[in-house]
Amino acid sequence: TPHYMWRLCISPVNRVELTKHTLRLITENNLAVETIHMLILRKSEERGRANHGWLNSYHTFSFANYRDPNQMGFRSLRVINEDRVAGGAGFGTHSHQEMEIISYIIEGALEHQDSLGTKAVMHAGEVQRMTAGTGITHSEYNHSDSEPVHFLQIWIPPAQKALTPSYEQQQFTDAEKRGTLRLLVSPDGRDRSLTIHQDTYLYATILSAGDRIQHPLAPDRHAWVQVVKGTVLVNNTPLETGDGAAIGREEKVAIEATSDAELILFDLA
């Protein structure tokens, strides 16, 4: 069950409902809502899990055999899987359509091949964006025969259908992410970020204990924070490794590291 935290400063309402990550105010007599501040906490231990021996995967949202009608995604985010793949193992050739797929490598190295002719290895700190579009087949294997690979795989439906399949990857050093939110993925590909076909921005940061950073949220924008390592406060709410948080109706996302930490942040329409 998600943990809901919100602060309301509103005109009188008949009732408040929270359904599928959307806070709806049902009002009478057209009474105006003045402000709503919302944070929905998704605890690490509440995620779905699939342990196949060679693959240990945690699912933030419904995926494969893990189905929860209350966890079908947030805004344009459809999948955040935290995967650990044993040495010498991986995902054989399979197909995708109409999806933007991002891989964020945390530890180890992931080997990728696809029907575009791409053959690549991604190491820790590298990010991949694959546009499945009209159809693509690919495989993903641990590049090492002995050491595990640990990564996040993220799925986001594109804003347009029938896109031409494409592939990008980019290295982002720890120094680029330390103490600041480094843009990794954006609709316009600025500042060496990978290009995604959706109104979504993905950032990453590495923080030392005591570091504080902020990300402004424009009106009608939302955020998702996913903690990769460590412990942080997000708008004064504690999050630990593997936790996620959906944030809406805020002017900013304020992050304070309570230990050394790494996290990613999505800015979503």
Side-chain angles (χ1 to χ4, degrees), residues 179-182 203 205 207 211-217 225 233-236 251-257 263 265 267:
T180 189
L181 284 163
R182 176 60 165 98
Y203 300 83
T205 187
L207 302 172
D211 284 353
R212 297 182 181 185
I213 57 173
Q214 292 186 358
H215 176 73
L217 276 183
V225 172
L233 295 175
V234 176
N235 290 3
N236 295 316
E251 294 181 354
K252 65 186 177 184
V253 181
I255 300 166
E256 179 182 352
L263 60 86
L265 181 149
D267 187 316

Side-chain angles (χ1 to χ4, degrees), residues 78-90:
R78 179 60 190 85
V79 168
I80 304 177
N81 288 347
E82 181 181 0
D83 292 342
R84 288 177 174 86
V85 177

Side-chain angles (χ1 to χ4, degrees), residues 154-221:
I154 298 148
W155 292 12
I156 297 173
Q160 308 89 28
K161 295 201 175 209
L163 293 167
T164 300
S166 61
Y167 177 93
E168 285 184 287
Q169 77 180 65
Q170 183 67 263
Q171 172 75 40
F172 299 94
T173 66
D174 287 358
E176 291 180 85
K177 293 176 281 188
R178 195 167 300 282
T180 189
L181 284 163
R182 176 60 165 98
L183 182 64
L184 308 180
V185 179
S186 69
D188 54 14
R190 67 176 180 262
D191 195 19
R192 290 196 311 114
S193 62
L194 303 177
T195 303
I196 190 171
H197 300 91
Q198 182 55 268
D199 187 6
T200 297
Y201 299 81
L202 171 60
Y203 300 83
T205 187
I206 295 173
L207 302 172
S208 298
D211 284 353
R212 297 182 181 185
I213 57 173
Q214 292 186 358
H215 176 73
L217 276 183
D220 299 323
R221 302 292 296 185

Side-chain angles (χ1 to χ4, degrees), residues 84-114:
R84 288 177 174 86
V85 177
F91 304 92
T93 301
H94 57 285
S95 61
H96 294 282
Q97 286 183 295
E98 306 299 354
M99 194 64 67
E100 304 286 280
I101 299 174
I102 299 166
S103 297
Y104 181 95
I105 312 303
I106 301 168
E107 295 174 329
L110 186 68
E111 184 176 323
H112 167 97
Q113 294 190 37
D114 63 40

Side-chain angles (χ1 to χ4, degrees), residues 43-54:
K43 292 295 293 178
S44 174
E45 62 271 19
E46 294 173 351
R47 296 176 295 176
R49 187 184 181 195
N51 191 342
H52 302 286
W54 64 272

